[in-house]
Amino acid sequence: MARVLDRANLQRAWKRVKANKGAPGIDGMCIEDFTAFAQSHWPSIRQQLADGTYQPQPVRRVCIPKPQGGERLLGIPTVTDRVIQQAIAQVLTPIFDPDFSESSFGFRPGRCAHGALRQVQSHIKAGYRIAVDLDLAKFFDNVQHDVLMARVARKVRDQRLLALIGRYLRKTNDCEFLGFTFRGTRLRWSDRAFADFKHHVRRLTGRSRGVSMAYRLGKLAQYVRGWMGYFGISDYYRPIPEIDHWLRRRLRMCYWKQWRYVRTKVRNLLALGTFKRQAILTALSSKSYWRLSRTLATQSGMTNEWLKRQGLISVRDRWMKTHGYA
């Protein structure tokens, strides 16, 4: 516990939590408010941790809809508890990590999902043809805490720390999936990864009319860069033009919806070079926004180049750059 409460260790933990950002916990405290809170409350929290009397706050439960139906339950600890948990992890990781399997990549320093995917690729090249992806559903809801803590206690002797870890275990619930599949020797995105991509794009671009398109495009560009930073490892090209086409159509629909009035739609289309007759007929149409986003009028006005100038990032261009084709 003394190593957990070391000043340098706590400062590193706070920097990591701050960099990760994240939503407020059950107390409503944001990352930005923690510094002021810690200045007045941390001495008492530190003393409780040293005495072994600290009680973690309840975890805020959030249900996130899954693209294929159902809900995913997430637990969001308070910022204070996230800092303490990170400080504990920084002390325990060097103790437990050396005994882990060389084939284990999850939540380990210097390792990531891409490493696991590359290892599977090497196995495929060696002639193996079956890859198994296992997910322990609701593991932390069902794990036998006494068995788990008995294993931890083999290397951790501090009873205060063991008791604190046990309290945190009973308040944790999370799970991960890689989002990739293998076809022959090719690594490709799973259908679930595409569904998640479209879900997040709809959420980022489907806000109220009061939000400017420039703001939406900025958020969308940030998300696409992050998504491609992870999924860009896939060497399967075929679906990429399709998702680029879907992105452009989604943006055309958003612009069409934001323009709102017939007069505004006609004026904007004419300014973009659409023929007058096409602009008027399309603006007067009662068809859905999504259907009208694929008409000659909207496509000849809001061209691919025009969307690019507005800030739309091409998934194809990012993929080509990642794989050294551009």
Side-chain angles (χ1 to χ4, degrees):
M1 183 62 81
R3 292 172 60 188
V4 170
L5 296 178
D6 179 74
R7 182 179 180 85
N9 185 55
L10 289 168
Q11 286 178 339
R12 281 199 302 129
W14 162 237
K15 288 180 180 179
R16 182 69 177 271
V17 171
K18 185 179 180 181
N20 290 339
K21 300 181 180 180
I26 198 170
D27 60 354
M29 184 190 303
C30 300
I31 292 287
E32 295 77 12
D33 301 329
F34 179 74
T35 302
F37 170 83
Q39 288 175 352
S40 56
H41 293 85
W42 184 252
S44 62
I45 296 173
R46 180 189 178 90
Q47 188 59 48
Q48 292 174 38
L49 289 167
D51 295 341
T53 59
Y54 179 79
Q55 293 291 333
Q57 297 187 59
V59 174
R60 181 163 73 94
R61 300 294 182 180
V62 178
C63 291
I64 298 178
K66 294 181 178 180
Q68 297 176 344
E71 293 181 332
R72 181 187 182 194
L73 184 64
L74 293 181
I76 304 178
T78 62
V79 179
T80 303
D81 284 324
R82 296 209 290 269
V83 172
I84 297 171
Q85 290 173 9
Q86 180 62 34
I88 294 172
Q90 290 170 180
V91 171
L92 295 188
T93 296
I95 298 174
F96 286 93
D97 190 71
D99 291 338
F100 280 26
S101 168
E102 284 300 313
S103 297
S104 173
F105 290 85
F107 303 99
R108 296 181 65 189
R111 290 169 174 256
C112 63
H114 285 177
L117 292 165
R118 292 189 183 98
Q119 188 176 96
V120 175
Q121 281 181 307
S122 67
H123 292 329
I124 291 174
K125 290 177 182 178
Y128 296 95
R129 288 293 175 264
I130 298 176
V132 181
D133 179 18
L134 299 180
D135 182 17
L136 300 180
K138 298 184 178 179
F139 170 76
F140 288 108
D141 288 345
N142 302 305
V143 63
Q144 298 182 37
H145 294 144
D146 54 344
V147 176
L148 179 59
M149 291 309 301
R151 298 293 182 112
V152 176
R154 293 178 183 178
K155 293 192 174 185
V156 178
R157 296 285 184 260
D158 194 321
Q159 294 300 316
R160 299 167 301 173
L161 185 54
L162 288 171
L164 182 59
I165 294 172
R167 296 185 198 117
Y168 277 127
L169 278 174
R170 291 186 287 273
K171 296 177 181 291
T172 306
N173 178 39
D174 200 3
C175 62
E176 289 283 339
F177 65 92
L178 296 180
F180 290 92
T181 59
F182 290 88
R183 293 292 183 269
T185 60
R186 283 190 169 185
L187 177 66
R188 61 180 294 178
W189 306 323
S190 66
D191 293 338
R192 195 172 193 178
F194 275 115
D196 282 345
F197 179 87
K198 291 185 176 182
H199 169 75
H200 283 286
V201 170
R202 290 189 188 100
R203 181 175 59 82
L204 291 171
T205 59
R207 301 180 180 181
S208 62
R209 294 190 180 95
V211 180
S212 69
M213 285 301 300
Y215 178 83
R216 299 185 204 190
L217 281 164
K219 289 293 185 181
L220 178 60
Q222 185 179 8
Y223 173 72
V224 171
R225 288 192 190 98
W227 196 83
M228 284 301 295
Y230 179 78
F231 287 102
I233 190 177
S234 170
D235 55 8
Y236 193 64
Y237 174 77
R238 182 177 294 177
I240 291 176
E242 176 189 343
I243 201 167
D244 252 352
H245 170 74
W246 181 87
L247 260 179
R248 291 191 293 265
R249 186 175 178 184
R250 176 73 187 179
L251 262 294
R252 289 187 182 102
M253 185 197 76
C254 290
Y255 273 107
W256 192 250
K257 194 171 184 179
Q258 192 176 62
W259 290 344
R260 196 172 182 180
Y261 301 109
V262 171
R263 191 168 23 189
T264 307
K265 292 174 180 176
V266 172
R267 183 174 64 248
N268 288 336
L269 286 178
L270 291 177
L272 292 172
T274 303
F275 289 117
K276 186 174 182 179
R277 175 180 172 80
Q278 293 174 345
I280 294 174
L281 291 176
T282 306
L284 289 172
S285 175
S286 60
K287 294 177 181 177
S288 68
Y289 294 113
W290 180 247
R291 187 166 182 179
L292 291 174
S293 66
R294 202 178 180 182
T295 59
L296 179 61
T298 53
Q299 289 184 324
S300 62
M302 293 178 276
T303 62
N304 297 351
E305 282 300 317
W306 183 82
L307 290 173
K308 186 176 181 179
R309 290 197 298 271
Q310 307 313 303
L312 177 62
I313 292 180
S314 169
V315 173
R316 177 185 178 276
D317 290 348
R318 303 289 297 186
W319 187 90
M320 296 286 282
K321 185 177 181 180
T322 300
H323 291 266
Y325 294 112

